[in-house]
Each structure stands twice: as structure tokens, then as C-alpha cells.
Amino acid sequence: MSNAITVLEAMAKAGKPMRTGEIAEASGLEKKEVEKAMKELKAEAKIVSPKRCFWEPAK
């Protein structure tokens, strides 16, 4: 499973906007890996930022 899918699942499971560090803890990935995965997800418009520094899956 790719890191992007792991990050997206961790965000969906939390059910609330999360910071990068929280996503790293929830997914069990390194923060750098989470940041790379989030960059991919942002480019694909699969995640959105409801407020600064917080991210959630796009609806």
C-alpha cells in the first residue's frame, strides 16, 4: 500500500482536521514520508485545508 493511501486512511479514520505530526503518529510513518504523500494528495485534490496547518480528506 502506498504512503498516500495510508495517510488518507489515517485522516479519514480520525474524522477531524489534523496536523502533519498528528497524521504521522496516526499512520505510523515518518513525518518526511507523510509530507511527500500529502504533496501528492494535494496535487490530486484529495485533501483540503480547512484552516492553516490542518488537513482533511476532500469531500
Side-chain angles (χ1 to χ4, degrees):
M1 181 169 11
S2 76
N3 288 346
I5 293 170
T6 304
V7 167
L8 202 53
E9 287 176 353
M11 293 170 83
K13 189 175 176 183
K16 64 180 175 78
M18 300 173 76
R19 291 177 168 218
T20 308
E22 295 171 329
I23 296 166
E25 285 180 30
S27 65
L29 298 171
E30 292 288 324
K31 190 173 177 185
K32 289 281 185 195
E33 294 299 317
V34 170
E35 289 169 351
K36 285 182 195 174
M38 288 177 65
K39 187 175 179 181
E40 277 180 45
L41 293 167
K42 281 187 272 186
E44 296 170 10
K46 292 187 178 181
I47 60 174
V48 294
S49 180
K51 59 185 175 181
R52 189 166 184 230
C53 297
F54 284 85
W55 295 91
E56 66 183 3
K59 294 182 169 87

